[in-house]
Amino acid sequence: MRNKSLLLLPITAALPLMMGAEGDGCAAGSKSPAPDVRGTWGITYDDVIGVEVKIGGAVYNAELGAAGGQVTINHQGKPYTFGLDCSRPEIVCPSEAWPSKVLIEQRDVNHQHQMIVNLPSASCSGELMKPAPGTCGIGTSNPNCDLVCNSDVTVKTRETFGVIGEAGESFRLYLGAGIVTNGINCALLGYSLADADLVTVGDKGEDWEATEMNGGLVTIGYAGACVFVGQMDGTTQAALVGAELKFTTGFTGVKQ
């Protein structure tokens, strides 16, 4: 992969993050009809990845090419370089988290708004443990103080849960569910999602079918230390505690 390096500017002078659909994920328990999304979908991505870095209360934005690359920020007089390297086995890039071809299922006839997709997901190679004091709770990437992985995170395929909105006009897929990062390993942060609007044909009922996805947006998040490029000393690690990187890319989809 050819790396592309960028210097990030503070948010007041930065490029805006890409905007996309915001799926309605609140209809998981609904028993109302939902459009038929079952089948194989072809996904087409934008040629840019939006980057947002949060570190020490400051926010920096930029864009990368679709292949990823490196971004550098100058925070409190010190440079920090982060890399989105899709070749790393533990890293799931946006186009891998929501691949170019996906098979979607709706298994529960009584809850048609629930959808299942087999996608790459994190798996802990060690043990799940309680997070260290002060590293979880409100204002952190682990607000519910879920168990964290104490070792490396590997990527395996697993069933991923999604929800079609009550109106049948959008969906939300939860990419970041599962393993919680310990701040160093590369588990996806909990807000990692895929959202899109749905284009449908037919009337609400048995012949209601989704045929296209428009305005889609994949959002994946990582702890800053996980994607830091360079030597990690005590000072650097302390600065990166709580730091987050968010990567976003737009997409559209067509049922095949």
Side-chain angles (χ1 to χ4, degrees):
M1 181 188 72
R2 183 177 63 184
N3 280 340
K4 185 182 293 184
S5 182
L6 290 177
L7 177 65
L8 272 69
L9 301 175
I11 192 169
T12 53
L15 294 168
L17 286 178
M18 291 173 291
M19 301 298 292
E22 293 186 4
D24 172 9
C26 300
S30 174
K31 294 187 177 181
S32 66
D36 185 354
V37 297
R38 295 173 299 173
T40 300
W41 290 77
I43 307 298
T44 302
Y45 292 93
D46 291 345
D47 58 2
V48 293
I49 296 175
V51 184
E52 179 183 278
V53 181
K54 294 182 179 180
I55 179 172
V59 180
Y60 306 85
N61 285 345
E63 290 183 347
L64 288 174
Q70 295 184 354
V71 293
T72 299
I73 67 170
N74 194 320
H75 178 69
Q76 296 182 346
K78 183 175 181 178
Y80 295 87
T81 298
F82 303 93
L84 183 66
D85 183 353
C86 302
S87 67
R88 286 174 57 183
E90 74 276 26
I91 290 288
V92 178
C93 285
S95 60
E96 296 170 317
W98 181 236
S100 59
K101 183 172 289 188
V102 294
L103 177 65
I104 300 178
E105 299 178 72
Q106 287 165 291
R107 298 176 180 172
D108 190 340
V109 295
N110 295 317
H111 296 90
Q112 298 177 17
H113 291 266
Q114 298 178 9
M115 53 187 276
I116 301 292
V117 188
N118 283 302
L119 295 175
S121 184
S123 176
C124 182
S125 61
E127 297 180 356
L128 295 178
M129 305 180 67
K130 291 183 178 180
T135 63
C136 68
I138 297 174
T140 74
S141 60
N142 186 7
N144 298 321
C145 291
D146 295 326
L147 297 178
V148 300
C149 180
N150 72 342
S151 185
D152 293 333
V153 172
T154 58
V155 176
K156 299 180 180 179
T157 298
R158 72 167 176 86
E159 292 183 346
T160 304
F161 182 73
V163 179
I164 300 168
E166 182 64 36
E169 298 173 349
S170 64
F171 74 85
R172 167 159 286 181
L173 193 66
Y174 297 90
L175 304 174
I179 303 300
V180 176
T181 178
N182 61 7
I184 302 297
N185 63 38
C186 283
L188 288 176
L189 296 180
Y191 59 72
S192 300
L193 303 164
D195 291 316
D197 295 326
L198 292 172
V199 177
T200 62
V201 296
D203 298 325
K204 292 187 177 182
E206 293 184 2
D207 61 346
W208 193 18
E209 182 180 9
T211 58
E212 297 180 37
M213 301 174 184
N214 285 336
L217 189 69
V218 178
T219 302
I220 61 172
Y222 286 107
C226 146
V227 290
F228 176 73
V229 177
Q231 295 295 319
M232 182 81 71
D233 56 28
T235 301
T236 300
Q237 183 169 333
L240 294 180
V241 170
E244 297 180 8
L245 272 79
K246 181 188 295 184
F247 301 96
T248 56
T249 191
F251 71 91
T252 58
V254 176
K255 185 182 283 188
Q256 298 181 339

